[in-house]
Amino acid sequence: MQSKTTIRDVAKAAGVSITAVSHALNGKGTLSAATRQRIMETADRLGYQPDPLARGLRSSPLGVVGLMLRPLDALGTYRPTGVDYFTRLIGAVAVECLERNLSLMLLRDLSKLPRQPLALALDGYIIADPLDGDPVVDLLQQASLPFVTIGRVPDRPAFNDWVGSRDEDETEMVLRLLRSKGAARIALVTGCDRNAWNLDSMAAYRRWAEGYGMPARVVSRPEADGTEGGRDAVAELLQDGELPDAIYCLTGRHARGMLDELTARGIRVPQDVQLVAGADSEQSRSAVPAITAIDLDPELIAAQAVEQLTAQVMSGKPAEHQPLSTRLILRETTLGGNRG
């Protein structure tokens, strides 16, 4: 049976830090002989397998960049229905790599074993939407492997090698739009992954609600629930009290489910409830009425991520962080939205 033990599991079982485990297994640091032995015995007992081949090849450039999609790792499938953001992102990253004579390798969660061959021997890594306390970030940092992230690393405020828009700014942009269209009771629906998209959007929403004396209503549903999660969110909002007059729903599949449930209950969109999705997708575009959504521009994100990574790998000098300006596509689910 193949082991699924991670370096974090070894550290927890041995009662030491992840750094101590890395040093023990790589023969580094100033650990006592007893501590080093205890860590190695724990790793052996748990079946943890480091990558000696990758360590040997790491000093020889392969011309390969690794890409990890952490939301899809958490989702449990790499083919979610109606989501085209990640396919656009993958294609754009691949093209940017080709322009630089590099190849692209898609990777699953690196903190879990078994890993893909040479997974820890690549020239650099791009992590999409890292989690709070992400073991993949821990692993790459402890292995001194270069990487950039798409989206802020929630538990590392000093980490500046990330690209993408600021989620707080996106949330405030949507709230300003809805308020300008007469909404006074705006609810927020988020996913459950502990990434910056969910965490920072929620924080910005609560600040906004407090500033305008508006009761904060936040509902969270697992991303894996898809459209059914959106339907459940509507039921919760109705059960908790008065229906809001506008909803900002981060996940596109949730937004589509919310629209379907509102329509099934005879609640008119946008006349009774306005709806905005935090990410444009096939499901938001094909909905009836079509859903107002944020265009996250994965092509531009890919260009910046590869540029920042190659600048870091080739020169050792990280590129300056440049937040993106996102675009809100107005459609029929907001008052005055475009038709067609």
Side-chain angles (χ1 to χ4, degrees):
M1 181 177 177
Q2 292 179 314
S3 171
K4 298 294 184 180
T5 304
T6 68
I7 193 171
R8 185 182 291 273
D9 297 328
V10 176
K12 182 178 180 180
V16 298
S17 67
I18 292 175
T19 301
V21 174
S22 177
H23 285 175
L25 298 179
N26 289 284
K28 298 179 180 179
T30 57
L31 298 172
S32 68
T35 299
R36 191 181 303 274
Q37 182 65 26
R38 184 174 83 252
I39 293 171
M40 295 179 70
E41 289 176 351
T42 301
D44 183 64
R45 173 170 55 83
L46 295 178
Y48 177 70
Q49 295 290 329
D51 289 332
L53 179 59
R55 288 201 302 271
L57 293 174
R58 197 174 298 156
S59 60
S60 302
L62 296 177
V64 181
V65 168
L67 173 63
M68 283 160 281
L69 309 172
R70 299 299 281 139
L72 299 190
D73 287 335
L75 201 61
T77 177
Y78 295 89
R79 293 180 293 185
T81 303
V83 178
D84 55 15
Y85 168 80
F86 291 108
T87 55
R88 289 173 61 191
L89 179 67
I90 292 168
V93 172
V95 169
E96 293 296 330
C97 287
L98 284 173
E99 287 287 340
R100 294 163 174 80
N101 200 29
L102 296 169
S103 297
L104 177 66
M105 182 175 181
L106 299 179
L107 300 167
R108 292 174 178 264
D109 186 345
L110 285 183
S111 68
K112 296 181 179 179
L113 296 176
R115 299 188 187 98
Q116 292 161 266
L118 308 183
L120 293 181
L122 307 185
D123 301 329
Y125 301 80
I126 298 172
I127 308 173
D129 296 297
L131 302 169
D132 185 35
D134 198 321
V136 168
V137 174
D138 291 338
L139 178 64
L140 294 180
Q141 286 189 325
Q142 297 306 325
S144 299
L145 294 171
F147 68 94
V148 300
T149 66
I150 296 174
R152 189 180 69 84
V153 183
D155 60 323
R156 290 169 171 80
F159 182 81
N160 201 44
D161 286 326
W162 65 274
V163 302
S165 57
R166 296 188 182 276
D167 300 301
E168 302 99 321
D169 295 344
E170 290 178 355
T171 299
E172 292 178 3
M173 175 180 65
V174 171
L175 294 173
R176 286 195 300 269
L177 168 77
L178 292 172
R179 184 174 175 84
S180 73
K181 294 180 177 296
R185 305 184 311 279
I186 307 170
L188 174 70
V189 177
T190 75
C192 293
D193 289 350
R194 291 189 59 78
N195 53 37
W197 193 32
N198 287 322
L199 297 175
D200 291 354
S201 297
M202 190 181 305
Y205 168 78
R206 292 190 181 280
R207 287 195 301 270
W208 173 277
E210 182 179 2
Y212 281 92
M214 181 184 74
R217 299 184 68 186
V218 179
V219 173
S220 297
R221 285 290 180 275
E223 284 81 353
D225 287 358
T227 55
E228 193 59 35
R231 289 181 175 273
D232 290 344
V234 170
E236 181 172 337
L237 287 169
L238 288 172
Q239 183 180 8
D240 286 350
E242 184 180 14
L243 183 70
D245 55 13
I247 302 170
Y248 177 36
C249 181
L250 295 185
T251 303
R253 296 197 301 164
H254 287 167
R256 179 61 179 268
M258 297 193 77
L259 176 61
D260 292 344
E261 183 66 18
L262 289 166
T263 302
R265 291 173 180 260
I267 299 170
R268 300 172 302 165
V269 179
Q271 294 89 342
D272 300 325
V273 180
Q274 299 185 71
L275 178 63
V276 177
D280 194 26
S281 67
E282 184 276 331
Q283 287 188 326
S284 58
R285 294 188 293 271
S286 63
V288 180
I291 301 173
T292 292
I294 293 176
D295 179 9
L296 296 175
D297 201 346
E299 289 79 17
L300 182 55
I301 289 175
Q304 288 201 3
V306 175
E307 172 63 26
Q308 183 144 332
L309 179 62
T310 53
Q312 184 184 68
V313 171
M314 293 178 180
S315 69
K317 298 178 180 179
E320 291 292 328
H321 172 58
Q322 297 179 350
L324 300 177
S325 297
T326 51
R327 181 171 66 99
L328 189 60
I329 305 172
L330 297 178
R331 298 196 180 105
E332 297 172 85
T333 58
T334 48
L335 293 172
N338 296 330
R339 295 182 177 274

